[in-house]
Amino acid sequence: MTNNMNRTLLLIFLLLGGLSLQSLAPKSALVQHFGEKIDEKGAIPVSQLKGKMGTKEKLDCKISGPVAGVCQVKGCWMTFKLSATESVRVTFKDYAFFVPKNIAGKTAIAEGTAFVETTSVEELRHYAEDAGKSKEEIKAIVAPEQELVFEARGVIIR
């Protein structure tokens, strides 16, 4: 074999070896942390949040579940589905951090405080605009909503 052929074969083996090693990378390499450093211990499925809240005004807790939506302007909020018809908006304490805009469908763990608040029409329209809703959908928002919200101190994305 010629020198060029040997080099080509060596390069191919090195590339294949590198790809094999990459597939063995620990899953923790795929985990991203935002805000305060938190862990996953004690996180409840987001679907249980309303039940845990009961009649409490506020609840400090850790929730987990698939991300349903993300602010497409800056990543300044995300949502989790509570049920087929309800979701919880997660904002970030003191607007101190954002999450990537492409995490819908990924699993997130958020630690912080859940509470119920009345969200104004103006703010609901702002959220709809950030989510990329149509002008018609935004215009259709005509009443404030009382909703469960969550202010996160830290978030993990897997």
Side-chain angles (χ1 to χ4, degrees):
M1 281 200 248
T2 68
N3 247 358
N4 284 341
M5 229 173 165
N6 285 338
R7 286 185 188 143
T8 303
L9 284 174
L10 180 61
L11 182 60
I12 290 171
F13 285 120
L14 288 173
L15 286 171
L16 290 174
L19 291 174
S20 295
L21 288 175
Q22 188 177 17
S23 68
L24 297 174
K27 287 185 180 180
S28 62
L30 305 174
V31 174
Q32 297 175 285
H33 292 263
F34 302 91
E36 289 180 17
K37 187 85 168 179
I38 64 169
D39 60 36
E40 299 182 32
K41 293 178 195 145
I44 61 168
V46 71
S47 59
Q48 296 177 10
L49 182 58
K50 281 182 90 172
K52 294 279 185 189
M53 282 283 298
T55 59
K56 297 178 187 98
E57 288 184 27
K58 289 184 175 191
L59 177 67
D60 286 331
C61 62
K62 201 179 296 183
I63 56 176
S64 69
V67 176
V70 181
C71 170
Q72 292 301 294
V73 176
K74 309 186 234 193
C76 57
W77 53 261
M78 64 183 184
T79 58
F80 288 113
K81 278 206 173 287
L82 289 172
S83 68
T85 58
E86 291 181 290
S87 62
V88 60
R89 181 177 329 284
V90 178
T91 58
F92 309 116
K93 186 164 177 62
D94 299 327
Y95 213 58
F97 62 96
F98 303 131
V99 295
K101 296 184 276 186
N102 64 345
I103 60 169
K106 293 189 178 186
T107 299
I109 297 90
E111 184 172 335
T113 305
F115 54 96
V116 176
E117 79 173 6
T118 300
T119 307
S120 70
V121 170
E122 181 180 305
E123 195 167 0
L124 288 169
R125 286 180 174 178
H126 175 78
Y127 288 141
E129 189 177 330
D130 284 353
K133 302 285 184 184
S134 70
K135 287 182 180 182
E136 292 77 27
E137 290 172 297
I138 294 168
K139 220 175 192 183
I141 300 169
V142 295
E145 288 182 11
Q146 191 168 25
E147 59 183 349
L148 182 59
V149 294
F150 193 92
E151 183 181 66
R153 295 183 294 275
V155 172
I156 298 171
I157 305 293
R158 287 192 273 124

